mmCIF file with all atom_site columns, all heavy atoms in Angstrom:
data_model
loop_
_atom_site.group_PDB
_atom_site.id
_atom_site.type_symbol
_atom_site.label_atom_id
_atom_site.label_alt_id
_atom_site.label_comp_id
_atom_site.label_asym_id
_atom_site.label_entity_id
_atom_site.label_seq_id
_atom_site.pdbx_PDB_ins_code
_atom_site.Cartn_x
_atom_site.Cartn_y
_atom_site.Cartn_z
_atom_site.occupancy
_atom_site.B_iso_or_equiv
_atom_site.pdbx_formal_charge
_atom_site.auth_seq_id
_atom_site.auth_comp_id
_atom_site.auth_asym_id
_atom_site.auth_atom_id
_atom_site.pdbx_PDB_model_num
ATOM   1  N N   . ASP A 1 54  ? 118.984 118.944 107.449 1.00 92.00 ? 54  ASP A N   1
ATOM   2  C CA  . ASP A 1 54  ? 119.626 119.048 106.133 1.00 92.00 ? 54  ASP A CA  1
ATOM   3  C C   . ASP A 1 54  ? 121.148 119.070 106.173 1.00 92.00 ? 54  ASP A C   1
ATOM   4  O O   . ASP A 1 54  ? 121.758 119.945 105.574 1.00 92.00 ? 54  ASP A O   1
ATOM   5  C CB  . ASP A 1 54  ? 119.162 120.343 105.450 1.00 92.00 ? 54  ASP A CB  1
ATOM   6  C CG  . ASP A 1 54  ? 117.868 120.149 104.686 1.00 92.00 ? 54  ASP A CG  1
ATOM   7  O OD1 . ASP A 1 54  ? 117.574 118.996 104.331 1.00 92.00 ? 54  ASP A OD1 1
ATOM   8  O OD2 . ASP A 1 54  ? 117.173 121.153 104.455 1.00 92.00 ? 54  ASP A OD2 1
ATOM   9  N N   . GLY A 1 55  ? 121.784 118.156 106.822 1.00 87.00 ? 55  GLY A N   1
ATOM   10 C CA  . GLY A 1 55  ? 123.240 118.142 106.728 1.00 87.00 ? 55  GLY A CA  1
ATOM   11 C C   . GLY A 1 55  ? 123.939 117.970 108.054 1.00 87.00 ? 55  GLY A C   1
ATOM   12 O O   . GLY A 1 55  ? 123.504 118.500 109.067 1.00 87.00 ? 55  GLY A O   1
ATOM   13 N N   . ASN A 1 56  ? 125.023 117.174 108.036 1.00 92.00 ? 56  ASN A N   1
ATOM   14 C CA  . ASN A 1 56  ? 125.877 116.956 109.208 1.00 92.00 ? 56  ASN A CA  1
ATOM   15 C C   . ASN A 1 56  ? 125.087 116.400 110.395 1.00 92.00 ? 56  ASN A C   1
ATOM   16 O O   . ASN A 1 56  ? 125.351 116.746 111.534 1.00 92.00 ? 56  ASN A O   1
ATOM   17 C CB  . ASN A 1 56  ? 126.560 118.264 109.616 1.00 92.00 ? 56  ASN A CB  1
ATOM   18 C CG  . ASN A 1 56  ? 127.267 118.925 108.455 1.00 92.00 ? 56  ASN A CG  1
ATOM   19 O OD1 . ASN A 1 56  ? 127.853 118.246 107.616 1.00 92.00 ? 56  ASN A OD1 1
ATOM   20 N ND2 . ASN A 1 56  ? 127.207 120.234 108.388 1.00 92.00 ? 56  ASN A ND2 1
ATOM   21 N N   . ASN A 1 138 ? 126.837 116.647 104.151 1.00 87.00 ? 138 ASN A N   1
ATOM   22 C CA  . ASN A 1 138 ? 126.620 118.037 104.572 1.00 87.00 ? 138 ASN A CA  1
ATOM   23 C C   . ASN A 1 138 ? 125.384 118.706 103.968 1.00 87.00 ? 138 ASN A C   1
ATOM   24 O O   . ASN A 1 138 ? 125.214 119.902 104.105 1.00 87.00 ? 138 ASN A O   1
ATOM   25 C CB  . ASN A 1 138 ? 127.890 118.863 104.309 1.00 87.00 ? 138 ASN A CB  1
ATOM   26 C CG  . ASN A 1 138 ? 128.303 118.797 102.851 1.00 87.00 ? 138 ASN A CG  1
ATOM   27 O OD1 . ASN A 1 138 ? 127.576 118.230 102.022 1.00 87.00 ? 138 ASN A OD1 1
ATOM   28 N ND2 . ASN A 1 138 ? 129.449 119.350 102.527 1.00 87.00 ? 138 ASN A ND2 1
HETATM 29 C C1  . NAG B 2 .   ? 127.827 120.946 107.191 1.00 70.46 ? 301 NAG B C1  1
HETATM 30 O O1  . NAG B 2 .   ? 129.197 121.187 107.486 1.00 70.46 ? 301 NAG B O1  1
HETATM 31 C C2  . NAG B 2 .   ? 129.917 121.775 106.392 1.00 70.46 ? 301 NAG B C2  1
HETATM 32 C C3  . NAG B 2 .   ? 131.370 121.839 106.791 1.00 70.46 ? 301 NAG B C3  1
HETATM 33 O O2  . NAG B 2 .   ? 131.538 122.302 108.106 1.00 70.46 ? 301 NAG B O2  1
HETATM 34 C C4  . NAG B 2 .   ? 129.325 123.145 106.084 1.00 70.46 ? 301 NAG B C4  1
HETATM 35 O O3  . NAG B 2 .   ? 130.016 123.745 104.982 1.00 70.46 ? 301 NAG B O3  1
HETATM 36 C C5  . NAG B 2 .   ? 127.858 122.988 105.718 1.00 70.46 ? 301 NAG B C5  1
HETATM 37 O O4  . NAG B 2 .   ? 127.262 124.250 105.515 1.00 70.46 ? 301 NAG B O4  1
HETATM 38 C C6  . NAG B 2 .   ? 127.115 122.254 106.834 1.00 70.46 ? 301 NAG B C6  1
HETATM 39 N N1  . NAG B 2 .   ? 125.754 122.017 106.389 1.00 70.46 ? 301 NAG B N1  1
HETATM 40 C C7  . NAG B 2 .   ? 124.673 122.334 107.103 1.00 70.46 ? 301 NAG B C7  1
HETATM 41 C C8  . NAG B 2 .   ? 123.359 122.053 106.493 1.00 70.46 ? 301 NAG B C8  1
HETATM 42 O O5  . NAG B 2 .   ? 124.752 122.819 108.234 1.00 70.46 ? 301 NAG B O5  1
#
Side-chain angles (χ1 to χ4, degrees):
D54 273 338
N56 308 322
N138 57 6

